[in-house]
Every structure is written in C-alpha cells, then in structure tokens.
Amino acid sequence: MFPTPIERTQPRTRFAYKVFLPIALILWLLPLLGVALTSVKPAADLDSGNYFGAPSRIAIENYWLVFKNSNIGYYFWNSIKVTVPSVLVSIGLSLLAGFALATYSFRSNLIIFFMIVAGNYVPYQILAIPVRDLPININLYDTTLGLALTHIAFQTGFCTLFMRNFIKALPNALIESARVEGVSEWRIFCYIVVPLVRPAIAALSVLIFTFVWNEYFWATIMSQSVDVRPVTAGINELSGEWKARWELISAASILTAAPPVLMFFLMQKHFIAGLALGATKG
Amino acid sequence: MAKVKLSGIRKSFGQSEVIKGIDLEIPAGSFCAFVGPSGCGKSTLLRMIAGLEDITHGSLEIGGQEMIDVAPAKRGVAMVFQSYALYPHMTVAENVTFGLRMANHPKRDTEQRCLEAARMLKLEELLDRKPSQLSGGQRQRVAIGRAIVRNPDVFLFDEPLSNLDAALRVEMRAEITRLHAKLDATMLYVTHDQVEAMTMADMIVVLDKGMIEQVGSPLGLYHEPNTLFVARFIGSPRMNTFSVNLCDAGDGNVSCMLPGGSSIQLDGSSLRTGKATFGIRPEHLDVVADGHLQGKAVLCERLGSETMLHVDIGLADPITVKADGLTNVTEGDAVGLKLNPKACHLFGPDDRRVRSGSLQ
Ligand SMILES: Nc1ncnc2c1ncn2[C@@H]1O[C@H](COP(=O)(O)OP(=O)(O)O)[C@@H](O)[C@H]1O
Ligand SMILES: [Mg+2]
C-alpha cells in the first residue's frame, strides 16, 4: 500500500514523524494562531504588556468594536464589489478564449497562447505607473470599476492558460460528435464544454476570488476614497487610527481572511473531478 | 438511403499526403467496409465524408449532391465514434436526443424517436442512467442510438467495436448487421479487423497507404485478391507466401520451382518465366505422407475444431497449415504438404496478381 501506513514503518521513521510533524504544524500555524489569540484579548492585556501570553478573558466584543470604530464595514462591501465581478468576468472571458484556443486551429493560435502564457511572467509591479496613469486619463481612477478592470486584465491571462489546457483535455470526439449532429458552436460551448469543465470553473473561482480579495498592491495604488478602498487596504488604515489597538487589527484580519475560506468550503463539492471519465472509453 | 460517390479525393496534412486519390462509388443501401492497417487513412476518409475534415482535393457526392461546401449536419450523415463520445453529464435519453433538442425538433417526435431507438437497441431500462453507469456494450448501443434518431441517409462507423471484448464484439456485429437490414440505410464502416469486414459488409474497400488496393465482395476479395497486399490482409490465418521461379511448361502451363526442390504445374498464369510470389491459404494445404512440400512441424495450435500447424519448410518463416482438429501430427514430426493447384495464387514482381487460385 502507498504510502506505507506510519504504524508499519521502522521505529526510527515513526519517531521522526512524531517529533517533526507537530513542529512543522506549529511553525506553519503560528502566525495565524498569534493573530487569532490577539484578536480575542481585551485591550488591557496588550496595554499591560501581555503580548504573547494567554488572554485574561475572551474579549469577543473586539469583533463588533472593529465595525463600530472604523470604516471596515464599507471596506468589506467595497471588496465584494470589486472581487465578485472580477471573478465572474475573468472566468467568463477565459472560458471563451480557452475554448477558442483549445478547439480551433487558426494560424495565430499558438502565438496568442504563448503570448498569454508569457504575460503571466511579467512582474506586475513594473507596470504600476502606466496602469495607474491609464485610469486617471479615462476618469476611472479611484473607482470600483477601475479597480475591477485592472484585476480582470491581470487575472484573465492566467485563467485562460488554465481553461485552455483543461478544455484541450476533453475528448475531441465529444465536440466533433455534436458538430456532426448540427449543434452550433455556441451551443456546444454552453451545453457540453461548460458543464464538463465545471470542476475547473469551481477551482479557478476560488483561486481568483482569493487572489483578488487578498490583493494589496493594486488596492493601495488604485483606490483612495472610503467608497472604493477594499478591506486589505482598509486594514492598513486601521493601524494609523489606533496606534496600539492590535486586538482590533487582529479581529479585522481574521474577518478579512474568512471569505476566501468560506468560498472554498462552498465550492468544495464542485471540485470532485472525474466527471469526464467514463465519457469515452469502455 | 443514399449513394455515396467519391471522385479523386485527396487529403494532405501540411506537407504529408494521407489520402492519395480515391475514386469510389458506394451504392445506396449497401454496407461498405473500409479495411486496412492502422494509419492507412481510413478514419481520415470517413471524417472527410462526415465533414469533420476539409477535403484538400476532389469531389464528394451524397445522394447525388455535391457536399464539399455543405456543413456536417446538412449532409444527412450520422457518425458513431470509436470512443463512443457520449456526453458524460447527460443521461442516456438526453444523449440520444441531444442533437434533436438542439435543433428544436418537435418534442413529441423527439421522445417518440428516442423510445423507438431504445426499443430497437434494448436500452429501455437504461434511459435514465449516466454513461458512466453503463457497460462498454451498452455505451456502444447508446452511441448507435444517437445516430439512429437522426434518421440519416448514411451511417458512418469508425471502428465502433474495437473497445469491446471479443464475445461482445461478435454480438454487436450481429446487431449492427440486423440494424442495417432493418433501417435500410447506407452504412460505411471503418475497421482494421478483416473479420468484421468479411462478416458484415456486402462491399469491402481495402486501403493501404491512402490508396485503394481493391474493391469487392467479401468472397471476391478472398478468392481473387488483385494484389499481394490484399491476399495477405484478407483471410485468417493469413495466406502463406514465398517466392518461386517460374518456367514455361508449354500448353499454357507454367512450372513453379517450390522450396525443397519439387515443382508444381499451374495453368492460366499470365507471367510465364522469372521470379514470382507464390501464395496459398492455410486451409488449402493438406497433410500427406509425401507431398509437394516437405517440412517439420514446429508448433501445433490445437483449437478443437481445427489444428494450426506451423511447418518449417526451410524458409525464413514457417508456413501455416489448417489441419483437422483430430490430426495426430505433433511438434517435431516430419510432414508432407499437398497443394491444391486450383488454390495456388501467383503474383508478379510488381506484386499484382498473375494467376488467381479461386478454386475454379
Ligand atoms: N490531424 C492530423 N494531422 C496530421 N496528421 C494526421 C492527422 N490525422 C491523421 N493524420 C495522419 O494521417 C494518417 C492516417 O490516419 P488515420 O486516418 O487516423 O488512420 P487509420 O484510421 O487508418 O488508422 C496517419 O499517418 C496519421 O498520422
Ligand atoms: Mg482510425
């Protein structure tokens, strides 16, 4: 059996496993644990220097105090307004582009595909100035639309690469057999390709949702006003408002991290791939 | 039911020419099998007829109409793929009716046709299943059902049985033959398995390297192969062939020098002297004490009804003899082989037939 169950390995391996696994886990989770712990400490604990110890009591009220004492509610809403359209549009566009690149052989097919792949390797930081100038010139600077368009532009390339390869892996005979039956290309796309790449759509949605939601660089560059700033940039502002109120910043951070995790669990059942198996072979 | 006519069909993928000029007329209602070794262009030819590949050169008529610029769906053809190509996210019924539904065909009639096809193919109980819950043979039947509901003039099959196990293949062979009789449609059937072609088709097209080697009925190809390629391809186990020297024996006869020194006189050969290839099928060799050929049995495959003897007569490869199931020859025995002169084929240096061993 692979891997060999740990109970059946040599004593030395078993010992190493028992020692190093917890250490690795703790190292891995320590920052998160630290933030979670801080987020339920009363302000008094931090004032008296209890940074690393256990909280004197569980101060769950931090989680609503942060809403009361800051604009974080707005920031959350701003994040949703940017992230959801970004995910929908990137995935929609990449499905269309991926379908074309995977199923049609036209002369520039590979060139376009390689350009999209190459584009993913350009460090986006070097584009900061022109990408900021463009929305300023067309009056989209510091708007939700401007920020969403920026994200869409940067994410669609990666999504297309992913989708193209996923659609390419579908048995070509499925598409051809529909063509012989006289089904239009658009309907083949809607009724055959999209349902069959559902696991890819789910995985990519979660990934892009997480990317865009957690994004900090463009969020700080492209937005200033309270009506536009996403929550990642908004938290940064909190540290300026209350210099020492780390318990609120921690609570805000935990809240910010929650939606991508939630997204993952919501989409989980769609990940179950293997739907295409049994499609063609006996 | 429609006739299919190919004239001067050629196909190139980039620089390489895969189909090198095919002229063929398939009568309406016939069951035509394309056979040939893997890679000879059978699938490509079928896909061109279906409209899935462009035809580089030539003309294609289905039912008397030019089809080069006609979309696949408008050609009146339905194709059954080797891989079945069932949509995994749809039930059997949805799979079968997909094309009709997408064409906004009247709902009543769609259901009617679906049920009819299901009845014909014994799929009634399976209509609500997904393809992943079906066995290979059932999937194959669904794929055929999907073709039937479209009521095509021409069915195109691309090696539909090659993913099935042997027993199921025999069963499906009979089923497809039965469908052909019932549906009264033209069927074009691609296979690399000559047994399938022989048992099902009324017309066989043997292809090699993108060209037609011979067109004929199953028995026509078996008895009178035009070329060495067809002679070896049709029939199982395949025909024994070895090279011989011919010399004129007068009276219209030629004398063939056989391996081992003896000779046999044959009539009706158009080639009188020189080198030729001699061909005789395993079933036309008789084991006798003292025959035209002498050799040693190196392998006996006992199949019950018959025994396949592999006899080393001093050539590079042993020759195959189909002997009686109860033959008492065992490995290592010396055997003599008698040739039936009526069953001896001769092929000239260009591998074309110079004498046929059609048993007549
Ligand atoms: N899309 C393609 N591009 C390039 N070559 C191809 C393509 N399809 C088939 N071929 C070539 O054409 C030849 C015939 O293929 P095919 O018709 O599939 O053979 P068969 O079905 O008789 O086994 C093969 O040599 C194959 O490599
Ligand atoms: Mg093939």
Side-chain angles (χ1 to χ4, degrees), chain A residues 171-184 187-188 190-193 195-196 275-282, chain B residues 47 50 52 72-73 77-79 81 83-90 98-99 101-104 131-132 136 139 146 150 163:
Chain A
N172 203 23
L174 291 181
I175 291 165
E176 291 190 329
S177 124
R179 276 189 195 145
V180 179
E181 294 200 63
V183 184
S184 69
R187 287 187 162 206
I188 290 177
C190 295
Y191 288 91
I192 295 176
V193 173
L196 289 179
L275 188 65
L277 296 179
T280 55
K281 277 281 144 68
Chain B
R47 291 163 55 81
L52 289 171
V77 301
M79 185 152 172
F81 290 79
S83 57
Y84 318 143
L86 301 183
Y87 311 120
H89 56 299
M90 299 184 198
F98 183 65
R101 284 186 288 126
M102 289 294 116
N104 294 322
S132 57
R139 282 179 206 176
R146 201 165 59 180
R150 300 192 51 232
N163 284 340

Side-chain angles (χ1 to χ4, degrees), chain A residues 88-192:
Chain A
L88 294 180
V89 176
S90 312
I91 302 240
L93 284 177
S94 67
L95 271 169
L96 290 167
F99 177 65
L101 289 173
T103 50
Y104 299 134
S105 54
F106 47 95
R107 213 174 320 144
S108 46
N109 184 317
L110 273 187
I111 296 173
I112 291 179
F113 180 58
F114 287 145
M115 271 165 55
I116 287 172
V117 174
N120 284 314
Y121 292 101
V122 176
Y124 57 86
Q125 291 87 344
I126 65 169
L127 301 173
I129 306 294
V131 168
R132 182 176 158 280
D133 282 351
L134 180 69
I136 288 177
N137 290 337
I138 55 174
N139 282 331
L140 284 176
Y141 181 71
D142 198 23
T143 61
T144 303
L145 180 62
L147 189 53
L149 284 177
T150 310
H151 284 309
I152 290 165
F154 278 97
Q155 300 299 341
T156 303
F158 170 70
C159 293
T160 303
L161 162 65
F162 192 96
M163 280 301 177
R164 182 261 185 196
N165 287 344
F166 213 88
I167 294 172
K168 190 98 190 162
L170 294 178
N172 203 23
L174 291 181
I175 291 165
E176 291 190 329
S177 124
R179 276 189 195 145
V180 179
E181 294 200 63
V183 184
S184 69
E185 295 297 307
W186 175 247
R187 287 187 162 206
I188 290 177
F189 175 75
C190 295
Y191 288 91
I192 295 176

Side-chain angles (χ1 to χ4, degrees), chain B residues 6-25:
Chain B
L6 315 175
S7 332
I9 297 253
R10 290 171 180 275
K11 172 75 189 177
S12 306
F13 289 111
Q15 290 298 317
S16 65
E17 191 166 49
V18 175
I19 301 289
K20 299 164 186 159
I22 300 256
D23 292 287
L24 183 66
E25 196 163 332

Side-chain angles (χ1 to χ4, degrees), chain A residues 25-258:
Chain A
L25 264 181
I26 288 169
L27 278 178
W28 183 254
L29 291 175
L30 204 58
L32 191 62
L33 280 174
V35 174
L37 212 60
T38 310
S39 76
V40 291
K41 275 182 188 166
D45 276 20
L46 293 164
D47 291 343
S48 62
N50 177 12
Y51 296 127
F52 301 109
S56 57
R57 66 181 176 84
I58 302 295
I60 202 80
E61 70 270 16
N62 289 342
Y63 281 85
W64 47 87
L65 280 178
V66 70
F67 280 99
K68 220 162 89 186
N69 296 343
S70 77
N71 290 323
I72 191 155
Y74 289 105
Y75 298 145
F76 254 96
W77 179 233
N78 294 339
S79 271
I80 292 171
K81 279 195 300 189
V82 170
T83 308
V84 172
S86 298
V87 171
L88 294 180
V89 176
S90 312
I91 302 240
L93 284 177
S94 67
L95 271 169
L96 290 167
F99 177 65
L101 289 173
T103 50
Y104 299 134
S105 54
F106 47 95
R107 213 174 320 144
S108 46
N109 184 317
L110 273 187
I111 296 173
I112 291 179
F113 180 58
F114 287 145
M115 271 165 55
I116 287 172
V117 174
N120 284 314
Y121 292 101
V122 176
Y124 57 86
Q125 291 87 344
I126 65 169
L127 301 173
I129 306 294
V131 168
R132 182 176 158 280
D133 282 351
L134 180 69
I136 288 177
N137 290 337
I138 55 174
N139 282 331
L140 284 176
Y141 181 71
D142 198 23
T143 61
T144 303
L145 180 62
L147 189 53
L149 284 177
T150 310
H151 284 309
I152 290 165
F154 278 97
Q155 300 299 341
T156 303
F158 170 70
C159 293
T160 303
L161 162 65
F162 192 96
M163 280 301 177
R164 182 261 185 196
N165 287 344
F166 213 88
I167 294 172
K168 190 98 190 162
L170 294 178
N172 203 23
L174 291 181
I175 291 165
E176 291 190 329
S177 124
R179 276 189 195 145
V180 179
E181 294 200 63
V183 184
S184 69
E185 295 297 307
W186 175 247
R187 287 187 162 206
I188 290 177
F189 175 75
C190 295
Y191 288 91
I192 295 176
V193 173
V194 171
L196 289 179
V197 297
R198 216 180 53 190
I201 295 175
L204 209 49
S205 305
V206 173
L207 210 58
I208 300 304
F209 185 93
T210 311
F211 284 167
V212 174
W213 184 274
N214 291 347
E215 210 283 327
Y216 184 70
F217 185 76
W218 297 119
T220 40
I221 289 182
M222 302 283 291
S223 65
Q224 288 178 325
S225 54
V226 173
D227 295 338
V228 181
R229 288 224 126 174
V231 67
T232 42
I235 292 179
N236 184 38
E237 189 179 290
L238 288 183
S239 69
E241 275 183 45
W242 307 281
K243 293 231 157 28
R245 302 208 65 180
W246 288 108
E247 76 284 4
L248 293 190
I249 294 172
S250 300
S253 302
I254 296 280
L255 286 172
T256 307

